Amino acid sequence: MNPSHRQWCAVRTLGSVCLLVAAALTSARLEQFLDIGGVTSSTFHQAVLAMRLAFVVAGSWFLLRRPRVNWPGLAIGAATMALTILIGGLCVQKIARVTPIVSGWRSYAPKYERNELLFRGRPICYDGADFVVVLLGDSQVEATTLPFEQMPEQRLEHHLRKSHPRARVFSVGARGYGQDQQLLVLREYFARFRADLVVLWQTPGNDICNNLFPTHMPANGAPKPTFRLVDGKLAGPSEPMGQPIPQSPIKLVALCQRTLAPERYYRRDDHWERYLPRPYSALPAWEGEVNHAWQRVWDVEKVRSENLDNEKTGWAMELVPPSPRMCYGIELTRRLLAEIRTTARSHGSEFVVFRAALPEDAAADGGEEVYDFRGKYYRASKRQMELNINAVNRDVGALAIPVKMKDWRISPVDAHLNIAANDQVMGDLAAALRPTIARLAAREEETCRDARCTKAGKCRLTSR
């Protein structure tokens, strides 16, 4: 083979390699290599496109122009580039500090609004004669949209003190909490403090999907400890609250993951699927009447956290018939509630569950409708949601506190209770708790008599 032919073969090989790299270098493959998935940054996708175009131009130039290549110079340039990347990576590995992302979260309220467990609320401070109530829950308990003095803990305490002046109420919970994180933080509470009564504010619309997945909304969101059922028994959590999530030991890769897809590179939801039964199967087509409410949330309100494909959405509670995944989620949530009750009772506390029953739920006729959402059709009803709630609570007997006002929302796009509705619900809850507190009072007074306790005011639960 003469030198000119060898030169042409080498140039043709180089051009072909450039074109192959351009074909292989896609955003999806780079996401898979970095284990990030679902990058939405337009800058990232534009950079990948620019690199592909550069390789196409280079490959075409080599094949069409057949330039004479200075191979020693090319080898030196490639070696220099590789050495620069290696030295840069070593410097990043030595100097850079990649802040770990931990499993679970607390309140993001200002520090001066957080208690000792880092949840929004007043300091956890009581004396031996106080009747202590723990208000356990999620964003309804945290109530970041309400003024601090109008928080549920303060309004519930205000109403309880009308009949029990020594009542003290403290908040334990944050946005996005399911019963899994509620159980873990209640254990933390009892490791440091006592309580006479644990009141769990249930949010049936999203509690089950919060319990099913190891991340917050939307898909592959902030990581959290998660339980699962193994042979019908509760297993877990996946990791303790506050434990760092494993990341690449190569800091340069970890920084790319954090920069391109913060909180999403773990793909935890995808990995967790192996533990979950199959989700609901949408109707392939529908010729009858269609309710467009769900699609309107997507199109008009621009809510992007509803995922009906894997049932990571509050709408899944209404799907008819319940999928194997929903049945599993109901049983998982029921077991978590039972474990919370066991934890409370093992520390001498009574346990009560309640939910705020919304006026539109009471007004719904419960009939089945078909909803369209992103080209698929789903059969759903409010009655199915009530059946699922009853199945979750069949062991704990949850209270349903009706919201008695029409304008109860913070805003059209914020479905938390506003100041007036929150005060009404806390007032009615206090009234509903009086029989429980009276029973506890009678039991404690009897205990005091058995112990020949004669000191006035010894029993915490008496109203005097």
Side-chain angles (χ1 to χ4, degrees), residues 124-194:
I124 302 173
C125 181
Y126 53 80
D127 62 34
D130 287 334
F131 175 59
V132 179
V133 179
V134 169
L135 189 56
L136 184 66
D138 57 8
S139 56
Q140 295 283 15
V141 168
E142 186 181 30
T144 55
T145 51
L146 297 182
F148 189 70
E149 64 276 4
Q150 296 293 334
M151 279 186 64
E153 68 167 30
Q154 299 205 40
R155 299 313 302 161
L156 179 58
E157 180 175 297
H158 168 79
H159 292 292
L160 284 176
R161 285 192 165 190
K162 294 176 182 178
S163 55
H164 302 283
R166 300 306 300 262
R168 297 284 289 158
V169 182
F170 304 108
S171 298
V172 177
R175 65 179 179 87
Y177 269 24
Q179 277 68 57
D180 45 17
Q181 291 193 92
Q182 292 168 8
L183 169 60
L184 296 176
V185 297
L186 183 64
R187 289 173 178 173
E188 290 183 23
Y189 176 90
F190 279 122
R192 299 175 58 183
F193 307 102
R194 69 166 177 85

Side-chain angles (χ1 to χ4, degrees), residues 317-346:
M317 289 285 285
E318 302 178 25
L319 295 176
V320 180
S323 69
R325 180 165 296 188
M326 175 55 64
C327 295
Y328 171 88
I330 289 171
E331 183 63 18
L332 174 64
T333 303
R334 192 176 71 85
R335 296 298 180 92
L336 286 167
L337 283 170
E339 187 62 26
I340 292 173
R341 180 181 59 188
T342 299
T343 299
R345 290 181 175 177
S346 67

Side-chain angles (χ1 to χ4, degrees), residues 307-376:
N307 188 342
L308 278 164
D309 289 338
N310 67 352
E311 296 193 36
K312 196 173 186 180
T313 169
W315 296 336
M317 289 285 285
E318 302 178 25
L319 295 176
V320 180
S323 69
R325 180 165 296 188
M326 175 55 64
C327 295
Y328 171 88
I330 289 171
E331 183 63 18
L332 174 64
T333 303
R334 192 176 71 85
R335 296 298 180 92
L336 286 167
L337 283 170
E339 187 62 26
I340 292 173
R341 180 181 59 188
T342 299
T343 299
R345 290 181 175 177
S346 67
H347 290 85
S349 299
E350 193 65 33
F351 179 59
V352 173
V353 178
F354 86 97
R355 63 186 176 96
L358 305 177
E360 50 262 48
D361 293 338
D365 60 11
E368 290 185 12
E369 295 183 272
V370 172
Y371 292 76
D372 68 320
F373 185 69
R374 306 190 72 188
K376 297 180 182 179

Side-chain angles (χ1 to χ4, degrees), residues 95-350:
I95 299 172
R97 181 177 181 271
V98 182
T99 305
I101 293 180
V102 300
S103 182
W105 56 87
R106 310 285 171 150
S107 176
Y108 293 96
K111 289 184 178 180
Y112 58 84
E113 289 188 353
R114 288 185 285 175
N115 59 32
E116 289 84 346
L117 296 176
L118 302 181
F119 297 112
R120 189 175 189 234
R122 296 163 301 172
I124 302 173
C125 181
Y126 53 80
D127 62 34
D130 287 334
F131 175 59
V132 179
V133 179
V134 169
L135 189 56
L136 184 66
D138 57 8
S139 56
Q140 295 283 15
V141 168
E142 186 181 30
T144 55
T145 51
L146 297 182
F148 189 70
E149 64 276 4
Q150 296 293 334
M151 279 186 64
E153 68 167 30
Q154 299 205 40
R155 299 313 302 161
L156 179 58
E157 180 175 297
H158 168 79
H159 292 292
L160 284 176
R161 285 192 165 190
K162 294 176 182 178
S163 55
H164 302 283
R166 300 306 300 262
R168 297 284 289 158
V169 182
F170 304 108
S171 298
V172 177
R175 65 179 179 87
Y177 269 24
Q179 277 68 57
D180 45 17
Q181 291 193 92
Q182 292 168 8
L183 169 60
L184 296 176
V185 297
L186 183 64
R187 289 173 178 173
E188 290 183 23
Y189 176 90
F190 279 122
R192 299 175 58 183
F193 307 102
R194 69 166 177 85
D196 298 287
L197 178 62
V198 174
V199 178
L200 191 153
W201 188 337
Q202 193 176 56
T203 310
N206 55 35
D207 277 350
I208 289 180
C209 65
N210 286 337
N211 293 328
L212 276 174
F213 296 94
T215 70
H216 190 26
M217 309 287 272
N220 290 310
K224 68 177 187 65
T226 306
F227 291 81
R228 59 191 179 94
L229 295 179
V230 178
D231 297 328
K233 297 181 180 180
L234 203 61
S238 51
E239 63 277 324
M241 284 280 289
Q243 176 174 299
I245 299 299
Q247 58 189 356
S248 174
I250 303 174
K251 291 184 178 180
L252 186 59
V253 174
L255 286 172
C256 288
Q257 293 171 333
R258 293 288 297 276
T259 301
L260 295 173
E263 296 185 349
R264 297 185 63 179
Y265 69 82
Y266 337 93
R267 304 172 70 93
R268 285 168 64 93
D269 286 355
D270 304 333
H271 297 155
W272 198 257
E273 283 285 336
R274 66 184 184 273
Y275 300 128
L276 302 177
R278 62 180 177 83
Y280 184 88
S281 296
L283 300 173
W286 181 254
E287 300 297 332
E289 293 186 5
V290 174
N291 190 321
H292 303 288
W294 293 356
Q295 187 62 44
R296 190 160 51 248
V297 168
W298 185 270
D299 292 335
V300 179
E301 300 179 18
K302 305 298 182 183
V303 175
R304 295 292 185 263
S305 60
E306 308 300 338
N307 188 342
L308 278 164
D309 289 338
N310 67 352
E311 296 193 36
K312 196 173 186 180
T313 169
W315 296 336
M317 289 285 285
E318 302 178 25
L319 295 176
V320 180
S323 69
R325 180 165 296 188
M326 175 55 64
C327 295
Y328 171 88
I330 289 171
E331 183 63 18
L332 174 64
T333 303
R334 192 176 71 85
R335 296 298 180 92
L336 286 167
L337 283 170
E339 187 62 26
I340 292 173
R341 180 181 59 188
T342 299
T343 299
R345 290 181 175 177
S346 67
H347 290 85
S349 299
E350 193 65 33

Side-chain angles (χ1 to χ4, degrees), residues 432-446:
L433 291 176
R434 284 178 190 139
T436 300
I437 298 176
R439 176 168 50 82
L440 294 175
R443 186 175 67 188
E444 182 160 337
E445 288 179 349
E446 183 176 351

